[in-house]
Amino acid sequence: MDRIAQLTTRPAGRETAYDPAAAPPSLHVEAAQVLEDNWTGRSTVPSRGLYPHQWSWDSAFIAIGLRHLSPLRAQTELETLLAAQWADGRIPHIVFNPSVPLDAYFPSPDFWRSSTAGRAAGAPRTVQTSGIVQPPVHALAAWLVHLADPGLSRARGFLTRMYPRLAAWHGYLLHRRDLGGGGLVSVVHPWEQGMDNSPCWDRPLSRVAPAPARSFRRADLGHGTPEDRPTDLDYGRYVRLAADYRDRGYADGPGEFAVEDPAFNALLAASEYALARIAHESGVPGPAREARAERLTAALVERLWDPAAGMFLCRDVRAGELIPERGVSGLVPLLLPGLPGDLTATLVRTVCGPHFGLGGTTRLVPSYDLLGDAFDPHRYWRGPAWFNTNWLLERGLRLHGERGRADALRRGMLHTAGASGFAEYVDPYTAQACGVTGFGWSAALTLDLLHDRPARGRNGLSAIMEGDRG
């Protein structure tokens, strides 16, 4: 039996939490093949060519899909990532593979200089990483991976080993990154939020003098058309921000760019709920994490909700004001169970209204306002639809009882995944593939949707928010 057959065949006599029999076999096998092709032995790259290292939130989403194929491999994915955690608690957004040539990706390890520039912050000595972070999806992923095979997880001590690292990660964010003083985490670089090129960053980025074009070489343009990628001006600003942060020894504080982002903070709140489950399973006494998640939700509403926009907006910490751009990030708090009912209803109307068009002009939710001046259906995070944000919104819609809309979004995602070859992102109107194909989290989250139980109104987030304990 070949490796893909081993991964996609259910072992005889063993119950599974989700029934893959309802999945179209070809799509299931194709998604599994993507993850097999991108597997390096200890982790999964997002894309062999464009992204040849391990990315933080990519690995969390990939583990959520991998758990349906191999719970052991999903555990290994997260263990490999967290082994590169810094002593101050941060989980770096890239863990570099030393066998990959330096010129295959920029910024490369020699740009970040983590083991030297990050020494005061406790960067690891034995592995090279970046110095910035990405959204905290990891505790959520760890709990879902545990539920895929609780016996294996307990036998390996998976959650017992993960808990202190995840607790330190959340502690770093909550105590070192509350740069606005209002109880929310700030990102200090657009890459940290994960939606790198969003128009939501244009205003705070305008204060940043770009690095000279001759000071760096973009490897990404060798894997996609320039029209799909960030502009040279934006990229120069990204490089400048990263270099300045590195040159400060990765010390946190208000700099040229500090933004409170709704998706980042909503994912932290969701992961606090997950960490509460992990603590209970591990028998670890700890802080009231569900209460902390509720406080984060309240702070989101207080600081980032904009009634006129009908959604959450980003806050420019340095300017002390909301950024008047509608990005998909402002819809992601829909995945939280503690949102006031009127806000939830308003978010659903916004998702389905003219600015995002779900169920009307679009099958998948775009990354940016369809009516916004900066909308571009093909350019990175400035309009295309992404699988991870749509997966989060499908979970959120289902969590709040919007089963019909969630089912339609699920169908749209599955159709688009197969038709686009598991594209990195797609045109929200036509579903035309953009970026690279065979993209890791697109395949992984397709697997998760295939193994779901939509007829019962249940999903992985329900296992966290409603307290299932495996």
Side-chain angles (χ1 to χ4, degrees), residues 175-193:
H175 300 303
R176 301 286 292 276
R177 287 297 194 89
D178 183 7
L179 304 181
L184 294 180
V185 173
S186 292
V187 296
V188 299
H189 195 290
W191 290 340
E192 290 199 314
Q193 195 272 351

Side-chain angles (χ1 to χ4, degrees), residues 65-102:
L66 270 178
R67 68 193 172 115
H68 301 297
L69 301 177
S70 169
L72 177 59
R73 184 178 286 190
Q75 291 177 30
T76 302
E77 183 81 36
L78 295 174
E79 290 165 350
T80 301
L81 176 68
L82 267 67
Q85 186 174 24
W86 291 26
D88 65 2
R90 82 182 75 194
I91 297 174
H93 98 295
I94 303 175
V95 180
F96 289 106
N97 182 344
S99 67
V100 173
L102 287 179

Side-chain angles (χ1 to χ4, degrees), residues 162-215:
M162 289 292 100
Y163 179 79
R165 290 185 175 275
L166 292 169
W169 166 223
H170 287 203
Y172 165 78
L173 293 173
L174 290 164
H175 300 303
R176 301 286 292 276
R177 287 297 194 89
D178 183 7
L179 304 181
L184 294 180
V185 173
S186 292
V187 296
V188 299
H189 195 290
W191 290 340
E192 290 199 314
Q193 195 272 351
M195 303 177 195
D196 307 7
N197 197 39
S198 170
C200 297
W201 319 137
D202 290 355
R203 182 174 293 192
L205 274 178
S206 68
R207 297 190 294 261
V208 179
R214 64 182 180 278
S215 66

Side-chain angles (χ1 to χ4, degrees), residues 44-331:
T44 309
V45 298
S47 163
R48 281 287 182 180
L50 181 54
Y51 305 106
H53 302 285
Q54 184 178 26
W55 261 259
S56 173
W57 76 326
D58 290 75
S59 277
F61 286 121
I62 286 167
I64 289 170
L66 270 178
R67 68 193 172 115
H68 301 297
L69 301 177
S70 169
L72 177 59
R73 184 178 286 190
Q75 291 177 30
T76 302
E77 183 81 36
L78 295 174
E79 290 165 350
T80 301
L81 176 68
L82 267 67
Q85 186 174 24
W86 291 26
D88 65 2
R90 82 182 75 194
I91 297 174
H93 98 295
I94 303 175
V95 180
F96 289 106
N97 182 344
S99 67
V100 173
L102 287 179
D103 62 359
Y105 182 81
F106 179 86
S108 52
D110 56 343
F111 172 88
W112 295 102
R113 293 177 244 154
S114 60
S115 59
T116 54
R119 184 175 301 151
R125 299 291 185 90
T126 58
V127 62
Q128 293 295 311
T129 75
S130 65
I132 59 175
V133 302
Q134 275 189 326
V137 197
H138 312 88
L140 188 156
W143 180 246
L144 293 178
V145 167
H146 164 78
L147 290 181
D149 192 334
L152 175 67
S153 174
R154 290 166 184 148
R156 297 186 68 247
F158 173 64
L159 291 183
T160 302
R161 289 181 288 109
M162 289 292 100
Y163 179 79
R165 290 185 175 275
L166 292 169
W169 166 223
H170 287 203
Y172 165 78
L173 293 173
L174 290 164
H175 300 303
R176 301 286 292 276
R177 287 297 194 89
D178 183 7
L179 304 181
L184 294 180
V185 173
S186 292
V187 296
V188 299
H189 195 290
W191 290 340
E192 290 199 314
Q193 195 272 351
M195 303 177 195
D196 307 7
N197 197 39
S198 170
C200 297
W201 319 137
D202 290 355
R203 182 174 293 192
L205 274 178
S206 68
R207 297 190 294 261
V208 179
R214 64 182 180 278
S215 66
F216 60 90
R217 186 191 67 82
R218 295 181 59 176
D220 63 316
L221 297 180
H223 300 275
T225 64
E227 291 76 18
D228 287 358
R229 309 300 300 176
T231 65
D232 286 342
L233 175 61
D234 285 335
Y235 214 91
R237 286 171 167 152
Y238 304 153
V239 172
R240 171 71 71 186
L241 277 175
D244 288 349
Y245 190 43
R246 175 199 65 203
D247 294 345
R248 296 199 307 270
Y250 298 110
D252 292 309
E256 290 295 311
F257 186 97
V259 174
E260 293 172 351
D261 174 74
F264 196 104
N265 283 279
L267 290 169
L268 179 57
S271 281
E272 278 289 308
Y273 284 114
L275 202 53
R277 307 285 178 259
I278 293 171
H280 181 272
E281 166 68 27
S282 303
V284 177
R289 294 197 174 276
E290 290 189 2
R292 184 177 286 174
E294 291 165 2
R295 288 196 298 272
L296 279 165
T297 301
L300 268 167
V301 172
E302 179 182 353
R303 292 182 63 81
L304 304 186
W305 177 254
D306 187 288
M311 61 186 297
F312 294 90
L313 301 180
C314 297
R315 178 176 290 276
D316 183 342
V317 171
R318 180 166 175 177
E321 61 186 17
L322 293 177
I323 299 169
E325 298 286 359
R326 292 177 173 90
V328 70
S329 170
L331 305 174

Side-chain angles (χ1 to χ4, degrees), residues 278-449:
I278 293 171
H280 181 272
E281 166 68 27
S282 303
V284 177
R289 294 197 174 276
E290 290 189 2
R292 184 177 286 174
E294 291 165 2
R295 288 196 298 272
L296 279 165
T297 301
L300 268 167
V301 172
E302 179 182 353
R303 292 182 63 81
L304 304 186
W305 177 254
D306 187 288
M311 61 186 297
F312 294 90
L313 301 180
C314 297
R315 178 176 290 276
D316 183 342
V317 171
R318 180 166 175 177
E321 61 186 17
L322 293 177
I323 299 169
E325 298 286 359
R326 292 177 173 90
V328 70
S329 170
L331 305 174
V332 171
L334 189 63
L335 61 83
L336 296 175
L339 283 183
D342 58 332
L343 268 65
T344 298
T346 300
L347 279 174
V348 172
R349 287 195 297 271
T350 301
V351 171
C352 300
H355 293 285
F356 293 93
L358 181 64
T361 56
T362 65
R363 178 174 278 188
L364 270 61
V365 181
S367 53
Y368 177 66
D369 183 359
L370 297 170
L371 306 180
D373 291 340
F375 175 78
D376 184 328
H378 289 176
R379 195 177 290 278
Y380 204 65
W381 289 109
R382 300 181 80 84
W386 291 71
F387 284 87
N388 65 330
T389 53
N390 277 271
W391 180 86
L392 291 168
L393 293 175
E394 192 272 350
R395 310 285 88 171
L397 288 167
R398 200 172 298 282
L399 185 71
H400 289 287
E402 295 286 343
R403 187 176 300 182
R405 289 186 170 98
D407 287 347
L409 181 53
R410 176 182 182 271
R411 290 192 298 270
M413 291 178 68
L414 293 176
H415 173 81
T416 302
S420 71
F422 306 99
E424 184 181 2
Y425 46 101
V426 299
D427 182 310
Y429 291 123
T430 68
Q432 175 188 339
C434 303
V436 298
T437 55
F439 195 68
W441 75 32
S442 301
L445 297 177
T446 295
L447 284 170
D448 193 59
L449 292 173

